[in-house]
């Protein structure tokens, strides 16, 4: 198992015995995830997805990605929430946060739309595409979610204007197996279609076609990624002890929450981790934030945010724990050279690599935060390969399943997500929302 958990900076605040005391609860939660005996058991398809995925569809995904690479300079991925965060996280983590600005060896640029309602951003992407060839991967189980539906309508019209009756050959729909507006469109128009599994919620779907097609099109080795996830699944599901990293992470989070902590900050000292943090925030926020329970997931980009939020973490209200992900081996580094005049006073670092300096900054910050009263969890992953990404995805998914059951909630629904949608539809004048619109207008 590539992901490891180090609690040496956590134990000064909470004795290991507190974690060990949760072993019985963790064993019950572990069994429930594998056997489907608790709330949300109809959305546990992700547990065995790394080995039980559709192999024929996987080959079609690889073929579609090869076609996109061959005939498109740009791929526009349209989706929101779990329909885009996992794919973008994987591309930035495995390739680069600057993936659209570096030489991609023939792979297309990838732009993400449908995760907001900004006409300005849509126009900017249209301008960036220009006269180049492009394709669309629209990802939506229903096809009626407002943000992606609007973006798809706009980009589909652009595609039709450019390619006429051949436009449908450039649209790839990832949607429900049998129903929904997008499924109906895909069937009527002949879009090549891939499946959002019925028993896998959006935030757990990165290892399905939802994430696999954009990742493959961007040049990520999805075979290695799935192998990493499969190996993580084998290791995590077989180990019912505190040596299991998912158990250790879930236990530490649970103990901190039960002892009064309200926020978990996830940070990393490499920019390629930024969107992984965004994916993690959705995974943990939607899974745990219900019934007035749960740690609020927040994130920091380090060392950058030490010059902004660092003051609050060091000296602010003691409401948080901090989890830091370390990528042990960067893809490259830079040696700091000696300067004759030493005008910047950095000659004491001459000969050192930036990675060495970065890791000392991480170690020093952890010690400072611990001295300031912030419990620290250290997670480590060997590198930013597709294999390691697959391992990390499965680790976080299984750990949040355990954590949710330790909170005695259903980790696999998201009832609170619908509240804003109803108000938005009413204010926009959607048919059927007239009564609610009247109520809201009085409030406003």
């Amino acid at each position: 198992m590539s992901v490891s958990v180090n609690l040496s900076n956590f134990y000064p605040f909470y004795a290991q015995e507190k974690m060990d005391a949760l072993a019985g609860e963790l064993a019950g939660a572990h069994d429930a995830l594998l056997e489907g005996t608790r709330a949300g058991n109809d959305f546990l398809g992700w547990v065995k997805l790394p080995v039980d995925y559709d192999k024929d569809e996987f080959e079609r995904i690889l073929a579609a990605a090869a076609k996109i690479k061959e005939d498109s300079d740009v791929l526009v991925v349209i989706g929101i929430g779990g329909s885009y965060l996992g794919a973008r996280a994987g591309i930035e983590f495995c390739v680069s946060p600057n993936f659209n600005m570096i030489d991609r060896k023939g792979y297309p640029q990838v732009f993400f739309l449908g995760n907001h309602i900004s006409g300005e951003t849509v126009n900017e992407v249209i301008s960036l595409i220009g006269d180049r060839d492009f394709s669309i991967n629209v990802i939506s189980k229903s096809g009626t979610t407002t943000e992606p539906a609007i973006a798809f309508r706009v980009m589909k019209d652009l595609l039709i204007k450019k390619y006429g009756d051949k436009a449908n050959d450039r649209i790839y729909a990832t949607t429900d197996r049998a129903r929904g507006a997008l499924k109906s469109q895909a069937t009527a128009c002949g879009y090549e279609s891939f499946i959002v599994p019925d028993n896998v919620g959006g935030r757990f779907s990165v290892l399905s076609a939802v994430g696999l097609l954009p990742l493959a099109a961007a040049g990520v080795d999805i075979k290695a990624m799935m192998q990493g996830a499969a190996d993580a699944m084998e290791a995590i599901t077989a180990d019912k002890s505190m040596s299991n990293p998912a158990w250790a992470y879930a236990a530490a989070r649970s103990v901190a929450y039960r002892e009064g902590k309200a926020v978990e900050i996830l940070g990393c000292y490499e920019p390629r981790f930024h969107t992984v943090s965004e994916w993690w925030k959705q995974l943990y926020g939607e899974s745990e934030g219900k019934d007035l329970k749960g740690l609020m997931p927040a994130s920091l980009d380090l060392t950058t945010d030490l010059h902004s939020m660092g003051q609050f973490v060091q000296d602010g209200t003691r409401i948080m724990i901090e989890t830091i992900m370390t990528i042990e081996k960067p893809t490259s580094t830079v040696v700091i050279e000696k300067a004759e005049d030493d005008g910047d006073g950095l000659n004491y670092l001459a000969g050192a690599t930036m990675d060495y300096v970065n890791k000392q900054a991480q170690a020093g910050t952890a010690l400072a935060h611990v001295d300031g009263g912030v419990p620290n969890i250290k997670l480590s992953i060997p590198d930013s390969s597709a294999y390691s990404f697959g391992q990390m995805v499965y680790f976080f998914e299984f750990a949040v399943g355990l954590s949710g059951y330790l909170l005695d909630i259903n980790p696999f629904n998201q009832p609170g997500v619908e509240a804003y949608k109803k108000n938005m539809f009413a204010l926009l004048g959607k048919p059927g929302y007239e009564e609610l619109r009247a109520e809201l207008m009085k409030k406003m």
Side-chain angles (χ1 to χ4, degrees):
M1 177 65 195
S2 294
V3 180
S4 63
V5 179
N6 184 328
L7 297 176
S8 59
N9 285 328
F10 191 82
Y11 289 140
F13 302 90
Y14 307 109
Q16 183 175 346
E17 288 76 16
K18 289 183 179 290
M19 263 72 79
D20 293 340
L22 293 176
E25 290 182 59
L26 282 163
H30 188 110
D31 289 343
L33 290 175
L34 297 184
E35 299 167 11
T37 55
R38 292 193 191 174
N41 57 10
D42 49 344
F43 281 97
L44 290 174
W46 60 271
V47 174
K48 296 182 180 179
L49 188 60
V51 296
D52 284 350
Y53 63 92
D54 185 329
K55 309 305 188 297
D56 291 335
E57 181 183 62
F58 190 86
E59 293 303 317
R60 286 200 301 114
I61 289 169
L62 291 173
K67 179 179 179 294
I68 292 166
K69 180 184 177 185
E70 181 68 26
D71 67 15
S72 300
D73 302 303
V74 173
L75 173 65
V76 179
V77 179
I78 297 174
I80 195 167
S83 294
Y84 98 99
L85 277 169
R88 183 159 192 161
I91 294 170
E92 292 193 7
F93 185 82
C94 298
V95 179
S96 166
N98 302 309
F99 59 92
N100 277 337
M101 294 184 283
I102 60 178
D103 181 6
R104 297 291 296 111
K105 300 178 182 178
Y107 287 100
Q109 289 186 313
V110 181
F111 295 112
F112 291 89
L113 289 178
N115 49 80
H116 49 69
I117 314 176
S118 169
E120 177 182 299
T121 302
V122 170
N123 274 329
E124 184 174 67
V125 169
I126 291 172
S127 177
L128 288 169
I129 294 172
D131 294 329
R132 294 183 295 166
D133 289 316
F134 74 102
S135 295
I136 296 171
N137 176 205
V138 55
I139 307 167
S140 176
K141 192 167 181 63
S142 67
T144 58
T145 304
T146 306
E147 295 91 339
I150 291 173
F152 182 46
R153 176 176 287 202
V154 172
M155 297 309 297
K156 181 177 64 174
D157 287 347
L158 186 67
L159 202 69
I160 292 170
K161 288 175 183 176
K162 184 175 179 67
Y163 297 105
D165 58 5
K166 295 188 180 298
N168 292 347
D169 295 336
R170 292 176 171 271
I171 297 175
Y172 302 85
T174 307
T175 189
D176 190 86
R177 185 183 304 275
R179 64 180 67 86
L182 182 55
K183 173 60 179 176
S184 297
Q185 285 186 67
T187 300
C189 299
Y191 306 154
E192 181 160 9
S193 297
F194 302 96
I195 303 303
V196 179
D198 292 335
N199 59 353
V200 177
R203 59 188 177 274
F204 291 86
S205 66
V206 63
L207 299 176
S208 74
V210 171
L212 292 176
L213 179 55
L215 285 162
V220 175
D221 185 348
I222 60 172
K223 290 184 178 179
M225 186 182 87
M226 294 302 286
Q227 187 61 56
D231 290 347
M233 185 196 84
E234 181 180 5
I236 287 173
T237 59
D239 184 1
K240 293 175 62 175
S241 75
M242 283 299 176
S243 64
N244 183 331
W247 275 43
Y249 180 50
R253 298 177 75 254
S254 181
V255 165
Y257 175 74
R258 295 178 188 196
E259 295 285 329
K261 296 302 183 184
V263 177
E264 178 182 11
I265 296 172
L266 179 67
C268 182
Y269 285 71
E270 288 292 345
R272 67 175 60 244
F273 193 78
H274 171 79
T275 308
V276 176
S277 294
E278 297 301 307
W279 169 80
W280 172 87
K281 283 192 288 189
Q282 188 211 8
L283 180 67
Y284 279 70
E286 278 195 353
S287 297
E288 292 190 324
K290 56 201 71 165
D291 297 345
L292 304 180
K293 297 179 181 179
L295 287 165
M296 178 181 173
S299 63
L300 296 178
D301 294 328
L302 303 168
T303 59
T304 305
D305 285 334
L306 294 179
H307 299 262
S308 56
M309 289 296 293
Q311 172 62 41
F312 189 95
V313 176
Q314 187 69 46
D315 288 337
T317 314
R318 303 294 78 182
I319 59 174
M320 70 197 75
I321 63 171
E322 191 174 26
T323 299
I324 300 298
M325 174 63 79
T326 299
I327 303 172
E328 296 293 351
K329 185 178 180 181
T331 57
S332 65
T333 190
V334 173
V335 175
I336 301 168
E337 301 293 345
K338 183 177 181 179
E340 290 301 322
D341 60 1
D342 195 26
D344 52 16
L346 290 178
N347 271 356
Y348 76 99
L349 295 176
T353 65
M354 286 187 68
D355 182 58
Y356 171 80
V357 176
N358 200 23
K359 287 190 168 57
Q360 300 319 301
Q362 176 179 327
T365 303
L367 291 172
H369 288 178
V370 168
D371 287 343
V374 181
N376 258 247
I377 300 169
K378 181 180 177 180
L379 306 179
S380 298
I381 195 166
D383 52 40
S384 56
S385 65
Y387 179 88
S388 291
F389 180 73
Q391 293 246 309
M392 180 172 60
V393 165
Y394 195 85
F395 162 78
F396 277 129
E397 289 181 346
F398 202 89
V400 82
L402 294 173
S403 293
Y405 283 150
L406 289 179
L407 286 171
D408 194 27
I409 60 170
N410 178 356
F412 308 112
N413 66 355
Q414 52 280 340
V417 171
E418 298 303 315
Y420 91 89
K421 293 182 181 179
K422 293 176 182 178
N423 288 352
M424 179 179 69
F425 292 152
L427 292 173
L428 288 170
K430 185 173 182 177
Y433 289 81
E434 292 81 6
E435 186 175 339
L436 178 57
R437 176 178 171 79
E439 294 176 11
L440 295 178
M441 296 306 290
K442 288 179 181 179
K443 290 182 180 180
M444 293 175 66

